[in-house]
């Protein structure tokens, strides 16, 4: 009967592991009780022996049910603690670490959870560093672009406004402007190569 519960996935109907375990142990206890009681009836035991067997079976069944109930509560409490840690991690607390209890599968799950939280925290830290480096790069690039542009603007405005009239100075300004344009072209090429990395 327990195998059929497992095979047909009937235990998934319960909304708690506690009730799944209790239903399984109650089913097992009832089946054992019926089996032993039926065999004892067939053995034609006297009434006092029959009542003793019945009492022992009821006692064993109750002990089994109570034991499974407390074990289930312990497991469920550990699962709820792990779920609470997962909720904290999901809400953005990447420093979350779950306290590991025991050496069973839940403890292994907690170890895996802690490793995942550490990996997420490290990835987040790397992302923050990369974002800061990106902002710094944009600041440096904008400064490096403004300086040659300002120099070119000053030289071109000087030529347009007639501040510089002699051909030798105009030729020098044009040469310097051309040099600034080459530097800007190299800077833009470097930026393009960096953006591909």
């Amino acid at each position: 009967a327990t195998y059929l519960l497992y095979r047909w996935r009937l235990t998934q109907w319960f909304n708690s592991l506690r009730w799944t375990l209790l239903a399984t142990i109650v089913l097992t206890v009832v089946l054992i009780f019926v089996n032993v009681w039926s065999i004892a009836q067939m053995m034609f035991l006297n009434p006092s022996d029959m009542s003793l067997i019945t009492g022992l079976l009821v006692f064993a069944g109750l002990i089994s049910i109570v034991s499974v109930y407390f074990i289930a509560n312990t497991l469920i409490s550990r699962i709820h603690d792990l779920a609470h840690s997962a909720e904290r991690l999901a809400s953005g607390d990447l420093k979350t670490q779950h306290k590991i209890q025991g050496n069973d599968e839940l403890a292994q799950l907690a170890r895996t959870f802690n490793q995942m939280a550490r990996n997420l925290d490290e990835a987040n830290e790397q992302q923050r560093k990369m974002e800061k480096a990106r902002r710094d790069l944009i600041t440096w690039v904008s400064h490096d672009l403004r300086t040659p542009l300002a120099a070119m603007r000053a030289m071109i405005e000087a030529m347009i406004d007639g501040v510089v009239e002699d051909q030798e100075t105009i030729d020098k300004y044009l040469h310097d402007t051309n040099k600034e344009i080459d530097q800007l072209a190299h800077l833009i090429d470097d930026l393009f190569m960096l953006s591909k990395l």
Side-chain angles (χ1 to χ4, degrees):
T2 305
Y3 175 74
L4 290 177
L5 280 176
Y6 162 75
R7 189 74 182 148
W8 293 341
R9 300 183 188 274
L10 297 176
T11 55
Q12 293 178 1
W13 290 350
F14 298 104
N15 63 356
S16 171
L17 182 60
R18 175 185 298 116
W19 300 119
T20 303
L21 290 172
L22 280 175
T24 304
I25 196 66
V26 166
L27 177 66
T28 305
V29 165
V30 167
L31 290 174
I32 290 171
F33 182 84
V34 168
N35 189 25
V36 172
W37 193 79
S38 299
I39 291 172
Q41 285 287 338
M42 287 188 259
M43 294 176 68
F44 304 109
L45 294 176
N46 65 36
S48 65
D49 289 341
M50 195 61 186
S51 62
L52 178 64
I53 287 174
T54 303
L56 288 174
L57 285 173
V58 169
F59 177 74
L62 289 175
I63 292 295
S64 298
I65 291 169
V66 169
S67 298
V68 166
Y69 178 79
F70 287 122
I71 290 169
N73 278 346
T74 301
L75 292 173
I76 290 166
S77 173
R78 290 172 62 196
I79 290 170
H80 282 230
D81 289 346
L82 187 57
H84 180 67
S85 295
E87 288 169 2
R88 286 194 349 245
L89 183 67
S91 68
D93 182 4
L94 300 180
K95 299 288 185 196
T96 298
Q97 289 291 297
H98 183 73
K99 181 180 176 186
I100 298 173
Q101 302 169 349
N103 295 310
D104 56 8
E105 289 84 354
L106 285 175
Q108 181 57 42
L109 180 60
R111 282 187 200 91
T112 304
F113 173 86
N114 288 344
Q115 184 60 46
M116 178 187 67
R118 282 191 295 274
N119 291 347
L120 285 172
D121 189 39
E122 289 170 8
N124 188 50
E125 186 62 32
Q126 286 178 342
Q127 184 179 2
R128 275 198 301 257
K129 287 179 182 177
M130 288 178 66
E131 182 61 25
K132 183 183 180 314
R134 186 187 67 80
R135 282 194 308 268
D136 290 346
L137 179 65
I138 289 171
T139 302
W140 297 331
V141 166
S142 65
H143 177 266
D144 286 350
L145 287 174
R146 281 190 190 116
T147 303
L149 286 173
M152 287 188 300
R153 174 179 278 159
M155 288 184 277
I156 291 172
E157 285 177 355
M159 289 185 286
I160 290 172
D161 292 343
V163 173
V164 176
E165 295 178 351
D166 65 287
Q167 190 60 40
E168 183 181 331
T169 306
I170 291 174
D171 289 343
K172 180 183 179 317
Y173 278 12
L174 289 173
H175 180 267
D176 290 347
T177 302
N178 191 40
K179 201 157 74 172
E180 294 290 341
I181 289 172
D182 285 343
Q183 287 179 346
L184 283 174
H186 289 303
L187 183 60
I188 290 171
D189 288 342
D190 290 345
L191 284 174
F192 182 71
M193 294 301 287
L194 279 174
S195 70
K196 288 188 168 186
L197 295 177

